Amino acid sequence: MIFNGSTSIGAVTAIVQLVNFIVLPLSKLGIEMNNKKAGEAAIRSLNQLLAKIHKPKDTSNYHILKKFEKDIKFTNVNFSYPQQGKLGKRVLTNINLRIEKGKKYALVGMSGSGKTTLLRLLMRYYQLGRNSSISIDDVNINTIELSSLYQLINIVQQEVYIFNNSLGYNITLGKSFTKQELNYAINRSGLRRLVESNAKGIEMDVGENGKEISGGQKQRILIARALIRKTPILLLDEATSSLDQKNTIAIENTILGIEDLTAIVVTHKLNPNLLKKYDAVIFMKDGSVTEQGSYERLIEQKGDLYNLCSLTAN
Ligand SMILES: Nc1ncnc2c1ncn2[C@@H]1O[C@H](COP(=O)(O)OP(=O)(O)O)[C@@H](O)[C@H]1O
Ligand SMILES: [Mg+2]
């Protein structure tokens, strides 16, 4: 057509380019449709699993707790992880604890002593046996509606999942919060410097699983996520383990300073100056709580905490 003059080279070039705008998105659509299908299947399996775990046997007896007013009680808590149809070895033995509203607890003990398991049970990740119970304001957690339970309790764990999105999104997770609330979470979690050090501020991209930011900054995002939700009970499971001393102290001080917050902080950094600030230290050993009380008192009695502290000090 160019040779017989019915079109020009420019027109052909333009056509080729314009066709690309149609063909490339179309071929991409195929790939994305596949991803969407795979995602849907994964969500379906996940929902089936969740429904199985959390299906209330009797909804008439279900409680919705709007507020946390008094305490959390662990009563005769015994637990083994279920393993292929039978129960594995005993992981928690006869735990009795009372966590009072507004107080801060440090949960310490050697690795494998059952600290994480204890928090998981409070989050109801596993079902407790008949003679064991955990209650919030005297309501057995098994009878608390799950979404209502998660409006009371939030957990920050070691494993961090960061979405390939902005810093702000990773804190709010798409929920709407006021600017003040977002600023509160950013300041309290120690993210202010990161926000101010880049041109895009809270709109900055954190990259695929947060590859643009440090481990400590990811950890702080998780803490900000928890703080912005203002759940009255906060559990931290070695959440500061990837932070340096200075940042650990800053974050723990933040949590200790939030008046109404009830917090259980699992920590393996035994910093006396920090431990002193907790209302109580709970010491776990081989699945049992062997000591609880103020840091000073436990050190004075020269028991398990004293031994672990002198072990790690040397
Ligand atoms: N998902 C699981 N399945 C089976 N056993 C587990 C599981 N998670 C932890 N355990 C076991 O339970 C015990 C307590 O572990 P954990 O609660 O993680 O202790 P800690 O947090 O104090 O290090 C350990 O012996 C550990 O091997
Ligand atoms: Mg643990």
Side-chain angles (χ1 to χ4, degrees):
M1 287 166 83
I2 293 167
F3 285 124
N4 68 27
S6 57
T7 187
S8 66
I9 292 187
V12 172
T13 314
I15 288 166
V16 169
Q17 276 182 359
L18 289 173
V19 163
N20 274 344
F21 280 117
I22 298 166
V23 173
L24 290 182
L26 277 179
S27 62
K28 223 174 151 190
L29 196 64
I31 297 168
E32 297 300 345
M33 288 289 274
N34 260 341
N35 281 341
K36 180 167 174 279
K37 284 278 175 240
E40 278 170 4
I43 287 172
R44 232 182 353 259
S45 314
L46 193 64
N47 279 335
Q48 279 164 2
L49 196 69
L50 287 175
K52 215 161 94 190
I53 296 171
H54 297 306
K55 187 143 198 187
K57 289 191 183 71
D58 174 14
T59 42
S60 63
N61 188 24
Y62 250 43
H63 294 84
I64 293 185
L65 286 194
K66 291 244 161 63
K67 274 197 292 211
F68 173 48
E69 286 176 0
K70 199 172 58 147
D71 60 13
I72 304 167
K73 284 200 213 77
F74 292 80
T75 313
N76 297 324
V77 171
N78 290 295
F79 181 74
S80 311
Y81 281 98
Q83 284 169 339
Q84 283 166 354
K86 56 177 196 327
L87 294 179
K89 78 168 177 45
R90 187 58 78 76
V91 169
L92 295 179
T93 311
N94 202 23
I95 307 266
N96 287 287
L97 274 179
R98 179 162 173 256
I99 304 296
E100 290 175 68
K101 182 188 154 98
K103 292 201 173 172
K104 317 289 187 279
Y105 299 83
L107 183 55
V108 301
M110 300 273 276
S111 158
S113 58
K115 305 177 298 292
T116 296
T117 306
L118 192 72
L119 300 189
R120 283 184 189 147
L121 290 177
L122 178 55
M123 293 298 285
R124 228 175 88 194
Y125 292 169
Y126 294 89
Q127 201 78 34
L128 273 180
R130 272 184 189 285
N131 301 316
S132 302
S133 81
I134 302 175
S135 62
I136 298 180
D137 289 346
D138 297 319
V139 178
N140 189 318
I141 59 165
N142 287 338
T143 69
I144 299 175
E145 205 255 327
L146 254 204
S147 60
S148 138
L149 183 67
Y150 294 159
Q151 269 160 30
L152 296 180
I153 313 183
N154 207 333
I155 188 164
V156 180
Q157 284 158 304
Q158 246 171 319
E159 307 87 52
V160 185
Y161 193 84
I162 300 289
F163 294 93
N164 187 5
N165 207 313
S166 70
L167 178 67
Y169 177 87
N170 271 288
I171 296 173
T172 62
L173 297 179
K175 272 201 168 173
S176 65
F177 290 99
T178 63
K179 223 176 169 149
Q180 281 97 319
E181 287 172 317
L182 192 56
N183 277 328
Y184 164 87
I186 286 171
N187 293 339
R188 286 264 167 146
S189 60
L191 284 169
R192 177 56 60 199
R193 199 125 55 90
L194 177 65
V195 170
E196 253 139 46
S197 67
N198 76 86
K200 287 167 113 184
I202 59 168
E203 293 305 321
M204 78 168 283
D205 265 315
V206 296
E208 181 89 35
N209 206 15
K211 70 173 182 324
E212 306 296 330
I213 55 178
S214 73
Q217 286 163 341
K218 287 190 215 172
Q219 209 67 52
R220 265 175 281 199
I221 289 181
L222 291 207
I223 289 164
R225 253 180 220 172
L227 292 180
I228 202 168
R229 279 166 178 72
K230 294 210 178 82
T231 51
I233 304 163
L234 183 61
L235 313 176
L236 259 70
D237 192 357
E238 311 215 3
T240 56
S241 55
S242 60
L243 301 183
D244 58 26
Q245 173 102 348
K246 193 171 140 250
N247 283 307
T248 302
I249 293 174
I251 296 232
E252 282 189 43
N253 274 330
T254 291
I255 285 158
L256 288 164
I258 304 175
E259 225 172 84
D260 279 341
L261 185 73
T262 308
I264 305 178
V265 178
V266 175
T267 171
H268 61 213
K269 290 180 189 157
L270 300 172
N271 178 336
N273 291 329
L274 268 176
L275 287 177
K276 272 181 205 158
K277 294 185 183 170
Y278 284 87
D279 294 291
V281 177
I282 299 167
F283 193 95
M284 286 187 73
K285 190 165 137 187
D286 301 330
S288 301
V289 172
T290 57
E291 296 177 356
Q292 53 178 309
S294 71
Y295 173 77
E296 279 93 350
R297 193 166 69 73
L298 296 189
I299 290 298
E300 241 166 61
Q301 77 184 36
K302 298 208 159 151
D304 290 334
L305 179 69
Y306 176 84
N307 289 334
L308 189 65
C309 284
S310 35
L311 201 74
T312 46
N314 295 322

